[in-house]
Amino acid sequence: MSITYLSDLDVSGRTVLIREDLNVPIKDGVITSDVRLQASLPTIKACLDKGAGVIVCSHLGRPTEGESESKYSLAPIADYLADKLGVNVAFSTDYLDNGVSVQAGEVVLLENVRFNVGEKKNSPELSKQYADLCDIFVMDAFGTAHRAQASTEGVIRACIADGKPVCVGNLLSAELDALSKALDNPAKPVLSIVGGSKVSTKLDVLNSLATLCDSILVGGGIANTFLVASGKNVGASLYEADLVDTARDIMTKTNILLPTHVVVADKGQIDFDDFLGSLSRASATIKSVDEIGEHDMILDIAPESASKLGEHIKSAKTILFNGPVGVFEVDAFGQGTAIICQAVADSEGFSIAGGGDTLAAIDKYGVADGVDYLSTGGGAFLEFVEGKPLPAITALDTP
């Protein structure tokens, strides 16, 4: 790649527009998780320290374009950034009509880019409006790099057309370096942990990993489909019958690690309209995968089985972690995920974890310090692993 890095550019006295991923949960105006915000700070600080005037933009949630909904406003994030950066952070809602005035050492946060008509459809006109705000554009939002939208891909091409420098920020460059280390020439053996409810949502990544990994540990509903493919009865558990043959094919390409014992609940105790609430009241029972009854729903890997699978993790030299192996939000069905998370943390191999649920589990079990790299990307993480080109990265790599 011939990508320019922020450290390659002189931003002193220049107006820098940084696309960050500030899409964090906000309830009643209060930020409930600041993981992505913390990850964005180094790039913003680096530009301030070098004497740039900084404009920051991001999306938040899924508002209707053209409508400014208060619950999707980035206003609370302006206060957060001001506190963490130690500078005043102005908040602009009319930047498309009136532009932005920012001096060296100052920060302006733009209102949610998804309020703008044409953002998601990558409008060339809107992309040009973003480009007109700055002298230099910095792409730092790995979590949105897989989307060809006006504030991610379009603005890059608009800046290049205007002869303005574009580059990757500190967070995005760290993401690319970590993923390249895990995928391009990984230390072997390579092991992936792939959890989630459906094989169909991660079919491409499973096929890609099958050619890279020595072993894949599957969990959640994905494991149920593989258990059926291996001849097991999964009772009332969720699985995808139309992908059983696909699972068998993947099993011929790499070593699929499956549990021998699982944690089940009686389907009759589960209310799917109040799934987590009903699970918190349901009885958790450990059973062998050879003893699953017709009313049993598999909801976790049993502790003893998780510990045995954990030994495979601890012996791996490269570990890719995407997806919990059970319904970890409910403690009775979270022990398997807790043990797997701890095994990743205890491993001496290089580990990288990505995806919202994965990071939430890592946070819940307090093992973040033991994971070498926590990726802020969800869909982008999966698409990069699948080998798909990410539009924003492709645009940055355009000569």
Side-chain angles (χ1 to χ4, degrees), residues 221-255:
I222 291 174
N224 297 338
T225 301
F226 278 91
L227 284 169
V228 172
S230 64
K232 305 298 182 183
N233 169 43
V234 295
S237 306
L238 299 176
Y239 78 98
E240 293 172 283
D242 59 331
L243 289 176
V244 169
D245 286 341
T246 301
R248 288 195 185 103
D249 181 61
I250 293 172
M251 293 170 78
T252 66
K253 299 175 182 177
T254 189
N255 179 34

Side-chain angles (χ1 to χ4, degrees), residues 121-330:
K121 290 187 177 180
N122 203 10
S123 158
E125 294 77 18
L126 181 58
S127 300
K128 181 66 165 63
Q129 286 181 285
Y130 292 145
D132 287 344
L133 296 174
C134 67
D135 301 313
I136 297 171
F137 178 76
V138 181
M139 180 61 184
D140 203 37
F142 178 68
T144 63
H146 63 308
R147 299 191 180 109
Q149 298 182 350
S151 69
T152 59
E153 194 257 10
V155 63
I156 295 171
R157 299 198 182 278
C159 282
I160 292 173
D162 287 346
K164 296 178 178 180
V166 296
C167 67
V168 299
N170 296 349
L171 173 60
L172 181 52
S173 62
E175 295 269 7
L176 295 176
D177 288 346
L179 283 165
S180 294
K181 181 176 179 179
L183 299 173
D184 292 347
N185 189 26
K188 290 184 171 291
V190 182
L191 180 143
S192 289
I193 303 158
V194 181
S197 59
K198 295 181 178 181
V199 171
S200 55
T201 61
K202 294 185 177 178
L203 179 59
D204 289 340
V205 76
L206 283 166
N207 276 316
S208 178
L209 290 173
T211 64
L212 171 76
C213 297
D214 300 282
S215 300
I216 302 177
L217 192 166
V218 290
I222 291 174
N224 297 338
T225 301
F226 278 91
L227 284 169
V228 172
S230 64
K232 305 298 182 183
N233 169 43
V234 295
S237 306
L238 299 176
Y239 78 98
E240 293 172 283
D242 59 331
L243 289 176
V244 169
D245 286 341
T246 301
R248 288 195 185 103
D249 181 61
I250 293 172
M251 293 170 78
T252 66
K253 299 175 182 177
T254 189
N255 179 34
I256 297 295
L257 299 173
L258 291 166
T260 58
H261 291 75
V262 293
V263 183
V264 304
D266 189 302
K267 184 180 180 180
Q269 295 182 301
I270 300 172
D271 178 0
F272 288 93
D273 292 327
D274 180 28
F275 186 63
L276 295 181
S278 62
L279 277 189
S280 67
R281 300 183 293 272
S283 299
T285 305
I286 294 175
K287 287 192 174 183
S288 163
V289 293
D290 295 316
E291 300 172 345
I292 305 300
E294 63 176 321
H295 299 294
D296 289 333
M297 285 195 70
I298 300 172
L299 298 165
D300 192 18
I301 297 175
E304 181 180 351
S305 189
S307 296
K308 290 180 179 178
L309 293 171
E311 294 304 312
H312 291 272
I313 296 171
K314 292 176 185 178
S315 64
K317 297 299 182 185
T318 303
I319 303 162
L320 287 157
F321 186 7
N322 180 257
V325 299
V327 189
F328 73 96
E329 297 91 342
V330 179

Side-chain angles (χ1 to χ4, degrees), residues 11 43-54 85 87 103-107:
V11 300
T43 296
I44 300 172
K45 287 180 178 178
C47 290
L48 289 174
D49 290 345
K50 292 180 179 180
V54 177
L85 294 169
V87 300
Q103 302 300 313
E106 296 180 347
V107 180

